[in-house]
């Protein structure tokens, strides 16, 4: 079976370095808010081109903390793509804000910048941009709208570590950015982990305090905060793996290029890229009718796949108040998408096998 993502094989490449870092952490006797967090935050901020980075417990918390720090709440609206993982929208509703769903661009699956302005009202506080599947959204129009209407731009870059728009990386495209380091991400921890990046010192300090029980120093609490801290073990692991992220992303681009050049089955709609060199291909998502049939065919031929995501957020029971919304582009995407294997540890034989099997679909059934 060609695995969708072989995490053991991915992490085994760093075994010696990870063992050494874990031993260093164990020997230090310091497991929260210490050297590992300081080093990783510094290195990750530099990687993103941002002034500040803060490790937090997970990607959802990262977005939640940004919204909380801005003081957005009941009565406030945040524009968000309808085609996203539910966590993006959960962060908005968790703060009492109203998500305003906008259809994506069917070609690239990110929010359609041309559809945003019509959704802006006097209650709109921010545009939340999701750089989905590893591709940065074209930001020029969004930046212009934010300036015109005095809105914040909050980025969800959970799937786009290292992706770029006009030579600027995610983490430096909005006023603040939330990252997830879930184990399967391009930069993955060995458990839950996340980060916030920003160039705004005041915002950074507020998020840092809120994430630590609202405390700016021990036993002094200036906000009604939460507990969302990146532990030293995960920070150390991420710091090791960050060194290899660009090379891993380059390998993902090679695989994506091979898929796009060689998958010729007319039943398969391939993903498009605004800029091949800027895409980091967290997942390689294709669209196909009769998706379950296609997935079963691939499985029968030894290829593991994942569906990102089978049900649109507005069709989830948790957001049943949005169930009557007509969002045909989003619904089509969630009905048809399926992700093929892509990772920096795939062999040439595995990559070619995926292409051969996909190209033979329908001919062997």
């Amino acid at each position: 079976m060609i695995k969708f993502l072989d995490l053991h094989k991915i992490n085994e490449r760093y075994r010696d370095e990870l063992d050494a870092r874990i031993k260093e952490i164990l020997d230090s006797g310091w497991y929260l808010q210490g050297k590992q967090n300081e080093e990783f935050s510094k290195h990750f901020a530099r990687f993103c081109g941002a002034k500040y980075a803060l490790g937090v417990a997970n990607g959802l918390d990262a977005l939640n903390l940004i919204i909380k720090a801005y003081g957005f709440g009941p009565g406030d609206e945040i524009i968000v793509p309808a085609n996203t993982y539910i966590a993006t929208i959960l962060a908005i509703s968790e703060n009492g804000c109203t998500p305003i769903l906008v259809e994506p661009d069917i070609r690239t699956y990110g929010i359609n910048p041309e559809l945003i302005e019509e959704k802006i009202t006097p209650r709109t506080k921010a545009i939340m941009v999701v750089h989905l599947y590893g591709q940065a959204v074209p930001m020029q129009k969004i930046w212009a709208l934010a300036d015109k209407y005095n809105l914040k731009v909050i980025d969800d870059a959970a799937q786009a570590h290292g992706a770029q728009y006009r030579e600027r990386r995610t983490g430096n495209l909005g006023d603040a950015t939330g990252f997830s380091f879930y184990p399967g991400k391009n930069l993955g921890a060995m458990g839950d982990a996340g980060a916030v990046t920003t160039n705004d010192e005041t915002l950074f300090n507020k998020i840092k305090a809120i994430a630590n029980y609202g405390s700016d120093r021990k036993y002094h609490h200036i906000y009604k905060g939460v507990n969302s801290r990146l532990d030293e073990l995960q920070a150390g692991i991420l710091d090791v793996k960050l060194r290899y992220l660009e090379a891993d992303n380059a390998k993902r681009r090679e695989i994506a290029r091979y898929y796009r050049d060689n998958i010729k089955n007319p039943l398969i709609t391939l993903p498009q890229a605004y800029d091949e060199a800027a895409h980091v291909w967290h997942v390689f998502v294709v669209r196909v009718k009769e998706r379950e049939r296609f997935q079963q065919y691939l499985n029968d031929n030894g290829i593991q796949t994942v569906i990102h995501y089978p049900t649109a957020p507005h069709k989830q029971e948790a957001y049943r108040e949005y169930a009557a919304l007509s969002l045909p582009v989003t619904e089509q995407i969630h009905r048809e998408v399926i992700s093929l294997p892509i990772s920096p540890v795939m062999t040439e034989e595995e990559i070619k096998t995926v292409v051969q099997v996909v190209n033979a679909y329908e001919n062997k059934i």
Side-chain angles (χ1 to χ4, degrees), residues 155-173:
D155 281 357
D156 178 344
Q159 298 186 4
H161 314 117
Q164 296 181 54
Y165 174 70
R166 296 190 176 179
E167 299 184 350
R168 287 169 59 178
R169 282 194 173 127
T170 53
N172 189 29
L173 296 176

Side-chain angles (χ1 to χ4, degrees), residues 48-327:
C48 295
K51 291 181 179 179
Y52 308 101
L54 176 72
V56 297
N58 54 66
L60 174 56
D61 277 8
L63 297 174
N64 198 354
L65 286 162
I66 293 167
I67 297 170
K68 187 181 291 290
Y70 275 129
F72 302 150
D76 294 333
E77 296 175 350
I78 297 178
I79 290 171
V80 65
N83 178 45
T84 185
Y85 182 54
I86 198 169
T88 316
I89 298 170
L90 286 171
I92 297 171
S93 59
E94 176 68 17
N95 283 278
C97 301
T98 302
I100 304 298
L101 306 180
V102 175
E103 287 270 56
D105 183 330
I106 189 64
R107 299 167 299 173
T108 54
Y109 309 123
I111 192 169
N112 188 337
E114 300 304 320
L115 301 180
I116 293 175
E117 188 165 19
E118 65 189 48
K119 300 290 188 178
I120 296 173
T121 75
R123 295 179 297 279
T124 307
K125 299 296 182 183
I127 303 169
M128 185 173 283
V129 180
V130 181
H131 304 293
L132 198 65
Y133 304 153
Q135 178 159 225
V137 170
M139 297 296 294
Q140 199 63 44
K141 174 82 172 180
I142 294 169
W143 289 334
L145 289 172
D147 286 343
K148 181 178 178 180
Y149 293 99
N150 192 30
L151 305 176
K152 297 299 181 183
V153 177
I154 302 170
D155 281 357
D156 178 344
Q159 298 186 4
H161 314 117
Q164 296 181 54
Y165 174 70
R166 296 190 176 179
E167 299 184 350
R168 287 169 59 178
R169 282 194 173 127
T170 53
N172 189 29
L173 296 176
D175 294 292
T177 304
F179 287 91
S180 167
F181 302 122
Y182 181 78
K185 305 296 186 184
N186 291 36
L187 179 60
M190 293 186 181
D192 277 320
V196 174
T197 61
T198 185
N199 293 318
D200 183 335
E201 183 178 12
T202 300
L203 181 71
F204 170 77
N205 287 329
K206 188 172 183 180
I207 290 173
K208 186 176 182 180
I210 292 172
N212 187 34
Y213 297 100
S215 173
D216 60 342
R217 62 184 187 273
K218 195 166 186 178
Y219 301 133
H220 185 257
H221 304 269
I222 54 177
Y223 306 110
K224 295 175 182 175
V226 299
N227 176 13
S228 183
R229 300 177 297 202
L230 180 64
D231 67 68
E232 288 287 275
L233 188 64
Q234 300 301 341
I237 288 166
L238 289 165
D239 198 43
V240 168
K241 296 177 71 174
L242 179 60
R243 302 172 192 168
Y244 301 95
L245 179 57
E246 287 195 83
D248 282 357
N249 284 345
K251 177 65 174 178
R252 288 173 178 272
R253 278 191 286 271
E254 288 178 17
I255 298 169
R257 187 179 304 114
Y258 187 86
Y259 282 169
R260 282 159 44 83
D261 288 347
N262 292 281
I263 293 176
K264 303 295 185 182
N265 192 324
L267 299 174
I268 308 301
T269 300
L270 296 172
Q272 297 185 33
Y274 297 114
D275 181 350
E276 291 278 1
H279 202 315
V280 297
W281 299 101
H282 171 59
V283 286
F284 191 90
V285 174
V286 301
R287 296 204 327 272
V288 60
K289 309 290 186 185
E290 299 184 55
R291 176 178 61 196
E292 285 69 26
R293 184 185 184 193
F294 179 61
Q295 186 174 43
Q296 186 61 54
Y297 163 80
L298 292 177
N299 188 70
D300 291 345
N301 283 273
I303 298 172
Q304 186 181 52
T305 57
V306 174
I307 296 171
H308 297 92
Y309 302 98
T311 306
H314 73 285
K315 294 297 184 182
Q316 297 281 359
E317 185 177 354
Y319 287 102
R320 51 189 173 273
E321 65 267 32
Y322 291 93
L325 277 181
S326 176
L327 296 166

